[in-house]
Amino acid sequence: MRQTPSGGAGTGTAPAGGRPMSIGTVLRLLRDEFPEVTVSKIRFLEAEGLVEPRRSPSGCRKFSPEDVARLGHVLRLQRDHYLPLKVIREHLDALERGERPRLPAAAPGRRPPASGEEGPEGAPERRTAPRVGRAELLAATGLAEAELAAWESYGLVAPDPDGGYGIEAVTVVRLLADLGRFGLEPRHLRIMKAAAEREAGLLEQVVAPLRGHRNPQTRAHAEASAQELAELSVRLHAAFVQSALRVGSR
C-alpha cells in the first residue's frame, strides 16, 4: 500500500475523514502553501506517475487525503530542493519500501516567504538558484579544462559574468561528454543548443504576459507555468526524436 510521505500537504491541509475529493478541491487545499499550482500541474504529475487518484465510474478523478499529502510532498521537493521528477519518484519509491532516504540540503538562498509574504516592491521573495564554480564543475564532471574551453568556444556552456555556472551546467556537461563518446563534436551539438534556445524563446512568449503582472501570485504562477512548459516540451522533443528514429530505421 502506498505510504503517505511525512511532512506532506496532508498536515493541516487534507480534510479528516478520508472522503474522496475532486481535483478542484485538491487545488484549493494545495494553494494555501503552493499558490502557483494549477489543475494542469496536478494532471501533469499524475501523468508522470507521481500520484494515482482513483476514478469514479464516470471517469472523474477522486483524490484521497493520502494523495493530497503526496502531492504536497512532491511540490515541496521541487520548491525547496530543486529535485527533478525522476529523483522525486525514486525518493517516493524508497519511502514505499519502508526506507528513510536522505534528502539533499535545501537549495541555498533566502528564506522562502510565508503565505502572503512579499519581498521588495510587492514581489514574492525568491531563492537564489544553486551555483558552482569552474573548479567545482570540472571536479563534478571529470572534465578536462581543455574540453570545457572547447565547448565554451562553441557556446555550448557559458559562465555567468561572475565566472560561476548554474547548477544545470553540470547536467549539460555530462550529457555533452556522453554524446561525445559517440563521435558527436561541438560543431554538431551546437545545432541542438540553437534549437533549444528557439524553443525556450517560444515558451517565454507564453508566460511573458504573466511575468509582468502586478499581482505577485500571478507572477508566481508564471514561474510554475514556465517550469511545467519546459517539462512538457522536453517530453515532446524526446517523442519526436524517437519517432524520427523509428521512421528512419524502416
Side-chain angles (χ1 to χ4, degrees):
M1 183 176 180
R2 173 166 289 168
Q3 177 177 336
T4 301
S6 60
T11 305
T13 301
R19 296 180 60 184
M21 292 165 275
S22 68
I23 195 169
T25 300
V26 172
L27 183 64
R28 289 193 296 272
L29 291 170
L30 291 173
R31 274 187 169 167
D32 287 341
E33 182 178 356
F34 308 100
E36 73 283 359
V37 73
T38 63
V39 168
S40 61
K41 177 69 172 181
I42 296 173
R43 288 173 176 164
F44 172 71
L45 293 175
E46 179 189 358
E48 290 293 316
L50 292 165
V51 65
E52 298 174 6
R54 292 187 296 107
R55 295 275 184 163
S56 69
S58 62
C60 295
R61 294 171 177 83
K62 293 298 180 181
F63 293 83
S64 67
E66 290 77 15
D67 291 329
V68 180
R70 188 178 176 91
L71 281 169
H73 194 59
V74 169
L75 293 170
R76 198 171 292 109
L77 290 174
Q78 286 187 308
R79 181 193 65 193
D80 297 344
H81 299 274
Y82 295 95
L83 296 182
L85 294 183
K86 178 182 178 182
V87 175
I88 292 175
R89 189 180 297 107
E90 292 171 350
H91 172 78
L92 294 175
D93 289 345
L95 286 178
E96 290 179 7
R97 294 192 297 269
E99 301 174 9
R100 293 183 175 272
R102 295 184 62 182
L103 285 172
R110 295 179 293 178
R111 176 184 60 83
S115 178
E117 183 181 348
E118 296 180 353
E121 300 179 2
E125 191 168 349
R126 298 176 65 182
R127 296 171 299 278
T128 302
R131 292 168 52 73
V132 297
R134 191 177 188 86
E136 293 173 303
L137 179 62
L138 293 171
T141 59
L143 195 68
E145 171 67 37
E147 290 178 288
L148 179 58
W151 290 346
E152 287 177 332
S153 69
Y154 278 89
L156 297 174
V157 186
D160 293 332
D162 62 0
Y165 298 83
I167 194 66
E168 68 279 357
V170 176
T171 301
V172 169
V173 167
R174 285 174 175 164
L175 290 172
L176 290 173
D178 289 341
L179 289 168
R181 291 202 300 269
F182 289 88
L184 291 173
E185 300 177 5
R187 58 191 176 89
H188 303 136
L189 301 174
R190 187 168 56 179
I191 300 173
M192 296 184 182
K193 176 76 174 341
E197 290 173 345
R198 289 195 299 270
E199 187 174 339
L202 174 62
L203 301 184
E204 179 61 29
Q205 291 178 25
V206 176
V207 299
L210 299 177
R211 290 190 194 275
H213 203 279
R214 294 182 60 183
N215 188 325
Q217 289 193 352
T218 302
R219 295 197 296 272
H221 173 59
E223 297 302 323
S225 297
Q227 179 182 355
E228 186 174 348
L229 283 167
E231 291 169 344
L232 290 170
S233 67
V234 167
R235 292 173 59 198
L236 179 62
H237 177 81
F240 279 152
V241 171
Q242 290 169 358
S243 178
L245 287 173
R246 282 196 297 270
V247 171
S249 64
R250 291 176 185 172

